[in-house]
Amino acid sequence: MPKKIENVGCPYCGVCCDDLVVTVSDDGKKILEVENACAIGNQIFHHATGSERVTRPRLRQPDGTYKEISYDEAIDYAARVLYNAKKPLIYGFGSTNCEGMAAAAKVAEKAGAVLDNCASICHGSSFLAIFDNGYPSCTLGETKNRADVVVYWGANPAHAHPRHMSRYSIFPRGFFTGKGQKSRKIIVVDPRHTDTAQVADIYLQVKQGHDYELFNAFRTALRGHEIPEEVAGIKREKILEVAEIMKKARFGTIFYGMGLCHSDGRNHNVDIAISLTRDLNDYTKWTIMAMRGHYNIAGPGVVWSWQYGFPYCLDLTKDVAHMNPGETSSIDLAMRDEVDAFFNVATDAAAHFPIEAVKHLRKHPWITIDPNICMASEISDLHIPVGIVGVEVPGIVYRMDNVPIQYRKVIDPPEGVISDEELFERIYKRLCELEAEEAAKGKAKTTPVGVHAEE
Amino acid sequence: MALFPKYSKTQEGQNVIMEQRLLKAVNNLILNAETCTGCGICVDACPEEAIALGPVGAARRGAVNNAAPVDVNPEKCSYCGVCVIMCPFNAMTLKIDGEERLPILEREGFPTYDMVTVIDEEKCSRCTTCDEVCPRDAIARDVPAFEGGDEAGRPRQTALQTKTTFTVDTEKCDVCGICGELCPSITVARKPANPETGKIEGDVLWEESTCDACKICVEACPQEAITVEREVISDKLPGKVEIEQENCCTCTWCVHTCPQEAITVEKLFEGEIEINPEKCPGGCSTCVEVCPCNALYLPAPVPAKEMKGEIEPNIAINKDFCILCGACVNACPSEDAIILRRTAIRMKDKETDLFKRIKEKLLTPRTSKVKEATPGEVEVKVLETAEEA
Ligand code: SF4
């Protein structure tokens, strides 16, 4: 009898749907059906038991091909790279559990590495704005149960967070929002008429890169001052109309995404959005929330803040942790060639970093720790596969509103494959051993076995 | 296979045309999918059970292409015209050999609705309220346009019937010409300057038909020589406001909102509509959108501090405007949220046996149903049998 497992968490986007029902075959080896997940989430589960999985670490050979090695050998290689590097960079962590993040931080601390997560190319600008201006936010349940006005500003959940609208913001019928979508006004601000704009009551087609001006206009209008005829491509009457709707809301939430974080102004777009939220609270209740990307990208922020006091861009090369995005962020370090080893963990820096940064990083040892074959694994010197969190490995993940959710395991990882947490614990142990060995025999560093991959 | 009778159903714009073609004669039943509300009265009225309810909500919202709220089977239809008579929204037409006719009425074989739709001409002030609130466009407001509502409309002073007098105190008037400069109704006819007298003389001429007694000339005259007086003979706007009976659905919006209480409309049906908001799933509002009378509404939420332990219901109705047509019951996707109980129908002329059978069906209490037997057709849940008032 195939087994149905309920309350399964989806390891893809920041909505962290935890209502999935997964049917597993008799022998517990194959995922037969995934209910409730969106198409993306569905694919994650089916992919897990697909035939294309890598089940052993792979080390680059002189001829450019990969050769399977044992976990012990891989761990030794990784530990030696860290041990020998002056300033290694350990980056990623959007897609693993908090246990893995804590173990990796332990390794980074021991190795004197820079520890960074995907926030630095994503919502890192949000953190900067939050440091400046605060974060008047809420949990998603509050939006579901109370919000009668919802703004998506520079975000396209229809494509990026597919069940966000149906679980939390537009369609659900909450306690005080019994009429569901009919109890809410949806406002979408985006230069493109996205599929999210399609379901909006009001769509503001802002000129790309002019969000700051539009926020300014809203704040000015809210305070009852004159605004120009047109701002950022939006007519005055429309701005006044929307400002009035926001002012009259019972409870509002602004969700924002890469439209603000990736466009001109970066953190300043976010900090004026926060200022607008704070202003609105003079009249009624307003909250703001970053549409965090990966299912556990809020995790490293929480875990490392608790461990070191800083959410990202952590420089652990000295005894005291230091954080200064712009100086200690992955892309900046790569572009200035300040690091001499790169660990790609639970992410794909090769696909998603600017190519110039990838070219710099590729000059040094590159180790990928990831369940799957991806661009990063394909340009690595060493690829260590791990179990997929939420499918094969349980653990804590933090949703976009920083609510922790316990993810379950639905099947066993492929025979012999270990978790991120176990891998980092073993690298840590190996690092300690190396340190002890070296201390015993004095300074004589060995180069790691294996060959650096060709360009 | 027999060639005749030949049946067909075609779509022409908003009309769905059912056809029965005999050797020479042609019968057509024409359904206007635009005016059809999905009330389903024709479904109950059809003696041949040839009409079925379709996707009422989706069709009314325009969410499905080319779908009408009801579907007539052209082969089952006997082209009797009972649906034409019984449709409260005038959405059906019967054509016999291309001519609009209702033989059943010609032979007095069926009663018709006893419509009462009167506007008391005396009381009606020709205001614009009924025209605005009527959900069926049944108000024929035949009042000329004035400049307030239409730039090209008539001058406002022509709305009133007045007697205006304009007098100039010739003693005081020095023919300065200011009044004539200001107003098109006034012409100052000065005599040529005469060196013999060295004085300016002349007349102030005034035209009543264009004067609106604004009195600007009175106020502008430096010599205070002008007096304007206006006596209103009638302040009644010209024209007439009437109800087009064939479009009226007897919702009584106009009756309830007429500031002069000048309108009398009798509803077609008597009975009760019961709303159970706790059965409404919320977030749907299909009933609100299909209601031909604008009687259903989503209650507005109150500010937090005024909630007093209560959350507004998901759905509500203003019974003043409901005509018990049943479109909401047909469109509602839930079960038991709306219960319709008709108890009487206003008819005139003799109630035939056929009508009595139809009446019994129409008076059967009903509510909506979640799981229906035939896919694509709406089926209502019949409650206890009809009770006549
Ligand atoms: S919305 Fe996000 S978390 Fe939910 S199923 Fe889709 S990818 Fe997974």
Side-chain angles (χ1 to χ4, degrees):
Chain A
M1 259 295 279
K3 190 168 63 186
K4 264 187 194 272
I5 308 172
E6 295 193 343
N7 303 324
V8 174
C10 166
Y12 185 70
C13 82
V15 176
C16 293
C17 299
D18 51 357
D19 60 344
L20 274 46
V21 180
V22 178
T23 311
V24 178
S25 65
D26 256 346
D27 56 5
K29 289 210 160 65
K30 185 99 190 135
I31 286 170
L32 301 175
E33 205 190 336
V34 182
E35 289 163 75
N36 299 345
C38 70
I40 309 174
N42 222 286
Q43 182 56 27
I44 299 256
F45 284 87
H46 288 302
H47 161 84
T49 51
S51 51
E52 64 278 14
R53 286 290 292 277
V54 176
T55 56
R56 286 293 169 272
R58 304 180 298 158
L59 185 67
R60 185 76 64 191
Q61 299 302 304
D63 66 356
T65 59
Y66 266 142
K67 177 180 154 239
E68 277 196 5
I69 57 172
S70 71
Y71 271 99
D72 280 336
E73 289 167 309
I75 286 159
D76 181 61
Y77 183 98
R80 281 176 196 278
V81 166
L82 284 172
Y83 187 74
N84 290 322
K86 284 208 187 84
K87 196 172 185 178
L89 168 61
I90 307 181
Y91 168 85
F93 303 100
S95 304
T96 182
N97 57 16
C98 291
E99 293 84 343
M101 290 161 189
K106 228 164 96 179
V107 169
E109 186 180 341
K110 171 106 315 205
V114 176
L115 183 61
D116 194 13
N117 63 64
C118 311
S120 72
I121 59 161
C122 188
H123 272 287
S125 31
S126 297
F127 275 118
L128 288 179
I130 291 166
F131 298 154
D132 285 343
N133 207 0
Y135 193 43
S137 196
C138 64
T139 59
L140 288 168
E142 286 183 272
T143 298
K144 171 185 164 180
N145 287 309
R146 296 173 188 277
D148 58 347
V149 181
V150 170
V151 180
Y152 281 112
W153 196 312
N156 184 13
H159 288 200
H161 297 85
R163 297 180 71 218
H164 193 266
M165 300 184 289
S166 58
R167 272 172 72 87
Y168 298 113
S169 62
I170 302 185
F171 303 107
R173 302 151 173 99
F175 191 84
F176 296 109
T177 50
K179 295 192 274 291
Q181 181 185 17
K182 302 284 171 187
S183 26
R184 309 177 211 268
K185 264 254 162 354
I186 311 299
I187 299 161
V188 169
V189 189
D190 201 299
R192 296 167 304 155
H193 191 266
T194 58
D195 284 338
T196 307
Q198 195 76 32
V199 290
D201 298 298
I202 297 179
Y203 165 55
L204 302 181
Q205 185 158 31
V206 63
K207 278 199 198 136
Q208 203 274 332
H210 292 256
D211 302 86
Y212 196 90
E213 288 148 63
L214 191 54
F215 278 118
N216 243 332
F218 271 114
R219 296 187 67 200
T220 310
L222 271 179
R223 287 159 192 240
H225 300 300
E226 275 291 306
I227 56 169
E229 188 102 36
E230 191 182 303
V231 180
I234 312 294
K235 293 260 176 292
R236 181 201 285 142
E237 305 75 67
K238 204 78 202 160
I239 297 174
L240 295 179
E241 180 198 333
V242 173
E244 203 48 36
I245 291 173
M246 291 174 120
K247 221 164 154 172
K248 295 259 167 66
R250 288 209 298 193
F251 185 102
T253 305
I254 299 174
F255 293 103
Y256 70 95
M258 293 303 105
L260 299 188
C261 298
H262 275 184
S263 62
D264 278 356
R266 312 286 193 286
N267 53 315
H268 296 298
N269 294 332
V270 179
D271 92 41
I272 195 167
I274 294 170
S275 293
L276 173 65
T277 312
R278 294 169 57 145
D279 288 356
L280 281 164
N281 276 290
D282 286 348
Y283 305 100
T284 177
K285 296 191 186 76
W286 272 84
T287 52
I288 187 163
M289 193 184 300
M291 294 286 279
R292 302 304 301 273
H294 294 294
Y295 68 96
N296 198 18
I297 191 53
V302 173
V303 172
W304 300 345
S305 289
W306 161 65
Q307 289 181 308
Y308 304 102
F310 302 115
Y312 71 131
C313 299
L314 287 122
D315 186 330
L316 301 172
T317 52
K318 302 179 203 73
D319 284 349
V320 184
H322 161 69
M323 183 204 77
N324 185 20
E327 178 203 344
T328 58
S329 38
S330 299
I331 300 287
D332 297 277
L333 290 170
M335 295 304 284
R336 290 194 301 260
D337 229 340
E338 282 183 29
V339 287
D340 55 355
F342 183 62
F343 274 59
N344 175 97
V345 188
T347 189
D348 190 352
H352 304 299
F353 272 8
I355 189 65
E356 286 308 318
V358 176
K359 281 183 183 161
H360 279 300
L361 291 172
R362 270 286 284 106
K363 295 179 198 157
H364 311 286
W366 178 311
I367 297 174
T368 296
I369 298 168
D370 197 276
N372 306 306
I373 294 174
C374 58
M375 298 254 296
S377 78
E378 293 318 277
I379 64 163
S380 301
D381 303 312
L382 173 64
H383 174 207
I384 313 177
V386 282
I388 305 173
V389 169
V391 183
E392 301 155 352
V393 179
I396 297 285
V397 311
Y398 278 81
R399 204 166 64 185
M400 62 166 64
D401 51 352
N402 288 319
V403 168
I405 296 172
Q406 175 73 53
Y407 270 26
R408 317 181 63 160
K409 144 185 180 161
V410 292
I411 48 165
D412 288 327
E415 184 81 40
V417 172
I418 63 175
S419 70
D420 286 298
E421 185 186 11
E422 186 183 342
L423 178 69
F424 280 110
E425 287 298 348
R426 282 167 67 178
I427 294 175
Y428 178 78
K429 220 173 117 214
R430 187 68 197 123
L431 259 180
C432 295
E433 286 167 14
L434 284 176
E435 239 179 40
E437 282 167 25
E438 295 301 314
K441 68 170 139 80
K443 234 174 171 48
K445 291 192 171 178
T446 49
T447 11
V449 276
V451 180
H452 178 44
E454 287 304 309
E455 283 282 333
Chain B
M1 204 182 83
L3 269 174
F4 292 101
K6 220 178 184 162
Y7 299 101
S8 70
K9 179 155 71 178
T10 50
Q11 178 109 24
E12 242 176 55
Q14 60 188 36
N15 289 336
V16 185
I17 304 163
M18 273 53 70
E19 185 169 279
Q20 179 197 49
R21 188 172 280 274
L22 304 168
L23 203 51
K24 278 183 175 166
V26 190
N27 289 325
N28 287 120
L29 180 66
I30 302 158
L31 164 71
N32 185 330
E34 202 69 20
T35 29
C36 171
T37 64
C39 72
I41 287 173
C42 56
V43 177
D44 280 349
C46 179
E48 306 293 337
E49 297 189 5
I51 313 182
L53 275 167
V56 176
R60 294 300 308 143
R61 282 173 153 144
V64 279
N65 280 340
N66 281 332
V70 298
D71 182 58
V72 187
N73 182 333
E75 283 182 50
K76 279 194 186 172
C77 173
S78 65
Y79 302 84
C80 67
V82 168
C83 56
V84 179
I85 299 166
M86 292 304 292
C87 175
F89 304 100
N90 200 26
M92 296 276 202
T93 316
L94 184 66
K95 280 192 181 165
I96 295 172
D97 295 334
E99 210 185 301
E100 225 177 279
R101 275 178 57 198
L102 282 169
I104 191 167
L105 287 188
E106 288 160 19
R107 275 177 262 126
E108 289 175 16
F110 208 80
T112 53
Y113 285 122
D114 183 9
M115 296 282 283
V116 178
T117 57
V118 229
I119 298 187
D120 184 333
E121 250 240 69
E122 282 304 299
K123 288 192 193 163
C124 170
S125 64
R126 326 277 190 260
C127 79
T128 58
T129 310
C130 57
D131 197 12
E132 178 82 29
V133 297
C134 175
R136 305 299 304 172
D137 249 341
I139 302 287
R141 185 174 177 272
D142 186 16
V143 177
F146 288 95
E147 57 191 330
D150 176 359
E151 265 183 61
R154 289 197 201 175
R156 55 189 171 277
Q157 72 270 13
T158 60
L160 300 174
Q161 284 182 46
T162 53
K163 177 76 204 132
T164 310
T165 50
F166 175 89
T167 38
V168 181
D169 185 335
T170 46
E171 292 290 298
K172 288 186 187 166
C173 175
D174 53 14
V175 217
C176 70
I178 290 178
C179 52
E181 288 294 297
L182 298 179
C183 179
S185 301
I186 303 175
T187 314
V188 178
R190 273 201 199 122
K191 289 188 183 130
N194 183 349
E196 191 179 344
T197 56
K199 282 189 194 145
I200 295 298
E201 288 174 331
D203 294 313
V204 175
L205 310 171
W206 168 80
E207 168 57 43
E208 182 174 1
S209 65
T210 51
C211 172
D212 61 2
C214 72
K215 299 195 181 173
I216 286 176
C217 55
V218 175
E219 281 148 15
C221 176
Q223 303 304 333
E224 298 185 4
I226 306 178
T227 325
V228 170
E229 256 153 34
R230 176 162 69 179
E231 186 194 333
V232 176
I233 297 165
S234 162
D235 62 0
K236 189 97 157 175
L237 258 52
K240 199 168 179 192
V241 183
E242 278 175 311
I243 298 177
E244 288 170 2
Q245 211 167 66
E246 67 277 20
N247 292 335
C248 170
C249 70
T250 71
C251 69
T252 71
W253 257 103
C254 56
V255 176
H256 284 92
T257 52
C258 175
Q260 307 298 332
E261 299 184 7
I263 309 182
T264 318
V265 168
E266 294 294 344
K267 291 203 182 164
L268 295 179
F269 299 100
E270 274 171 36
E272 251 309 298
I273 186 138
E274 182 187 326
I275 304 282
N276 298 316
E278 70 289 349
K279 301 268 172 64
C280 166
C284 160
S285 81
T286 307
C287 58
V288 175
E289 282 173 57
V290 304
C291 176
C293 308
N294 191 18
L296 285 148
Y297 61 97
L298 302 178
V302 298
K305 65 172 190 287
E306 284 156 34
M307 290 178 79
K308 309 221 184 332
E310 270 186 48
I311 301 173
E312 84 279 355
N314 280 345
I315 188 73
I317 194 167
N318 186 330
K319 289 186 186 173
D320 286 347
F321 306 131
C322 173
I323 65 159
L324 310 172
C325 75
C328 52
V329 173
N330 299 338
C332 176
S334 100
E335 194 136 344
D336 302 330
I338 308 174
I339 300 174
L340 173 68
R341 292 189 176 85
R342 299 188 193 106
T343 50
I345 311 175
R346 275 183 70 88
M347 298 304 277
K348 60 174 183 232
D349 309 328
K350 193 174 157 293
E351 297 202 351
T352 59
D353 284 347
L354 172 61
F355 175 76
K356 280 184 188 144
R357 281 206 304 278
I358 292 171
K359 181 170 169 182
E360 197 183 332
K361 274 205 219 162
L362 286 170
L363 298 194
T364 311
R366 65 197 64 203
T367 182
S368 48
K369 190 167 171 175
V370 171
K371 290 217 166 101
E372 296 149 325
T374 325
E377 275 181 26
V378 174
E379 192 186 319
V380 292
K381 190 160 98 183
V382 171
L383 302 171
E384 67 276 16
T385 39
E387 31 176 299
E388 235 182 287

